[in-house]
């Protein structure tokens, strides 16, 4: 039997995903659609999505060690792609059917670009929901892990050098706005492939290494400081960068420490929200704005709009999880896949050592 499910990770997931929801509901919604009311605060507090990418990278390290990597990669794709595609279709349909005439509504070209995951690379296509920017990055990270892991992750010194390169090199490459002054195709590749987000994946790997006592606390702390600085260098958003740093300390406590049994009295709601957290992430932005708009049209105040939008998105996320994500995963994960070339197990003596 595997280790019991740790409540601490469910709490971290819920905190991160609701950081996304609150930022969208309290700030970005009113900025994009002023008719919804005044934004709460002068600046966005964009921390949740970045921390979710860190958590994703951490659990890549946890799960990829358990067997051949081609089945592992297939299961990761089966877990995230069906609910994503369903969320795109649902968001597009509801916006087209119920979106106000004064909103910029998605087009069939936008639908196709989002379904094929090329929206981040094609400037003529807009994301139907701004949250979708993480999906191509996650899939690319999964593919990179499946390609590199069977060949061994190298010696301890090499893997830590790689983490520093992932954190520092993108900062150097974009220094003095080099990317902004580059040809459009360079900017598209830079943003579409998420080179300015590599520090998030590096920290996720570093947290796993630290949880396994393969790097020191001092080394992890230095990487955390560097990652927060890299985030600031890429975004020029100091409050959000510091907020990410604070949440990463919380993630570190979840990764290496006792389970957070203090949350045991609310275990069931926390586990429920963690279970549907991917659906909440996929559906919360544009559909949250849409729900808030129609509640406003009914004459309801801003607090009710925000509460109603959050409640509506949680219900939609539960439906997405129950009727798309879980059944699709059960059906697809059992497909028979060959073991080569990803099925080769890593050699002993490296971080790729199976266990």
């Amino acid at each position: 039997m595997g280790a019991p499910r740790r409540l601490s990770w469910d709490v971290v997931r819920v905190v991160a995903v609701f950081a996304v929801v609150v930022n969208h509901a309290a700030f970005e919604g009113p900025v994009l659609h002023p008719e919804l009311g005044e934004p709460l605060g002068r600046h966005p507090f964009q921390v949740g999505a970045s921390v979710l990418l860190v958590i994703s990278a951490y659990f890549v390290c946890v799960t990829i060690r358990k067997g051949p990597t081609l089945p592992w990669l297939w299961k990761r794709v089966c877990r995230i792609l069906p609910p994503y595609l369903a969320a795109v279709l649902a968001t597009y349909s509801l916006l087209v059917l119920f979106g106000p005439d004064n909103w910029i509504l998605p087009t069939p070209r936008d639908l196709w670009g989002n379904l094929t995951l090329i929206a981040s690379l094609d400037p003529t296509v807009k994301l139907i929901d701004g949250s979708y920017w993480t999906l191509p990055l996650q899939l690319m990270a999964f593919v990179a892990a499946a390609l590199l892991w069977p060949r061994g992750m190298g010696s301890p010194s090499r893997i830590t050098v790689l983490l520093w390169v992932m954190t520092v090199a993108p900062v150097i490459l974009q220094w003095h706005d080099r990317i902004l002054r580059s040809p459009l195709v360079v900017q598209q590749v830079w943003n579409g492939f998420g080179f300015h987000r590599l520090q998030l994946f590096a920290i996720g790997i570093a947290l796993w290494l630290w949880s396994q006592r393969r790097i020191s606390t001092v080394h992890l702390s230095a990487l955390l400081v560097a990652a927060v600085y890299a985030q600031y260098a890429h975004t020029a958003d100091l409050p959000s960068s510091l907020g990410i740093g604070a949440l990463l300390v919380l993630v570190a406590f979840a990764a290496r420490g006792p389970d957070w049994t203090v949350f045991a009295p609310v275990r069931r709601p926390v586990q429920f929200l963690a279970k549907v957290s991917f659906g909440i992430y996929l559906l919360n932005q544009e559909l949250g704005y849409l729900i808030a708009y129609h509640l406003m049209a009914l004459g309801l105040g801003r607090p009710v709009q925000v509460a109603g939008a959050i409640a509506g998105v949680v219900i939609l996320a539960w439906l997405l999880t129950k009727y798309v994500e879980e059944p699709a995963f059960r059906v697809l994960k059992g497909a028979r896949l060959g073991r080569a070339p990803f099925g080769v197990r890593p050699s002993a003596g490296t971080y790729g050592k199976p266990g």
Side-chain angles (χ1 to χ4, degrees):
M1 295 178 62
R5 184 183 181 93
R6 288 171 61 89
L7 184 57
S8 53
W9 281 115
D10 287 336
V11 173
V12 168
R13 285 191 182 93
V14 171
V15 169
V17 79
F18 273 91
V20 176
V21 172
V22 171
N23 177 61
H24 289 159
F27 181 84
E28 293 192 16
V31 168
L32 295 172
H33 305 291
E35 66 271 22
L36 294 178
E38 291 294 322
L40 301 180
R42 295 185 177 183
H43 304 286
F45 195 55
Q46 299 174 325
V47 300
S50 296
V51 173
L52 288 171
L53 286 179
V54 172
I55 295 171
S56 178
Y58 177 92
F59 278 98
V60 164
C61 298
V62 171
T63 58
I64 200 171
R65 305 165 65 241
K66 297 180 179 180
T69 50
L70 182 56
W72 172 86
L73 176 60
W74 176 246
K75 288 180 180 179
R76 301 285 75 72
V77 172
C78 293
R79 176 64 75 184
I80 71 170
L81 205 52
Y84 166 72
L85 296 176
V88 170
L89 289 169
T91 302
Y92 172 83
S93 300
L94 291 172
L95 285 173
V96 169
L97 289 172
F98 302 107
D101 294 336
N102 61 328
W103 286 17
I104 300 175
L105 300 177
T107 66
R109 180 178 177 82
D110 295 329
L111 175 62
W112 178 249
N114 282 257
L115 289 174
T116 56
L117 293 168
I118 65 168
S120 298
L121 293 170
D122 188 344
T124 67
V125 174
K126 77 179 187 73
L127 291 172
I128 292 176
D129 188 294
S131 299
Y132 296 164
W133 66 267
T134 62
L135 269 295
L137 273 61
Q138 282 186 286
L139 289 171
M140 286 186 290
F142 294 157
V143 171
L147 287 170
L148 294 175
W149 190 265
R151 291 153 180 81
M153 295 295 286
S155 66
S157 60
R158 288 178 181 175
I159 189 62
T160 51
V161 167
L162 175 62
L163 297 182
W164 280 103
V165 169
M166 291 170 66
T167 303
V168 175
V171 176
I172 296 173
L173 289 172
Q174 76 152 33
W175 202 255
H176 294 306
D177 292 329
R178 287 193 186 98
I179 301 300
L180 290 177
R181 298 199 305 268
S182 299
L184 180 60
V185 65
V186 174
Q187 297 181 43
Q188 290 173 257
V189 170
W190 178 266
N191 293 315
F193 285 94
F195 291 116
H196 57 308
R197 311 284 183 176
L198 286 179
Q199 73 275 3
L200 302 174
F201 295 102
I203 284 300
I205 298 169
L207 284 165
W208 178 77
L209 293 173
W210 178 75
S211 73
Q212 301 296 304
R213 292 172 169 76
R214 293 180 174 178
I215 62 172
S216 68
T217 300
V218 172
H219 195 162
L220 176 67
S221 300
L223 275 166
L224 283 172
V225 171
V228 169
Y229 175 77
Q231 187 74 15
Y232 170 65
H234 294 308
T235 63
D237 183 352
L238 183 59
S240 295
S241 300
L242 294 175
I244 289 171
L247 280 183
L248 289 180
V249 173
L250 193 68
V251 175
F253 282 122
R256 188 170 130 183
D259 197 12
W260 299 349
T261 54
V262 67
F263 292 98
V266 291
R267 178 183 296 272
R268 291 187 66 182
V270 167
Q271 287 182 335
F272 169 77
L273 291 173
K275 180 180 178 181
V276 302
S277 60
F278 186 47
I280 294 174
Y281 178 80
L282 290 173
L283 297 169
N284 83 95
Q285 190 167 356
E286 292 299 330
L287 293 187
Y289 303 159
L290 186 63
I291 294 170
Y293 177 87
H294 285 286
L295 291 175
M296 179 201 69
L298 293 174
L300 299 174
R302 185 69 181 141
V304 178
Q305 294 170 31
V306 172
I310 293 174
V313 166
V314 170
I315 292 171
L316 291 173
W318 171 74
L319 293 172
L320 182 69
T321 303
K322 182 175 179 63
Y323 294 106
V324 178
E325 180 181 343
E326 292 179 341
F329 183 69
R330 285 194 298 268
V331 170
L332 295 173
K333 71 175 182 178
R336 296 183 62 85
L337 298 173
R339 295 171 64 89
F342 304 121
V344 181
R345 286 182 178 270
S347 58
T350 70
Y351 283 148
K353 181 178 179 181

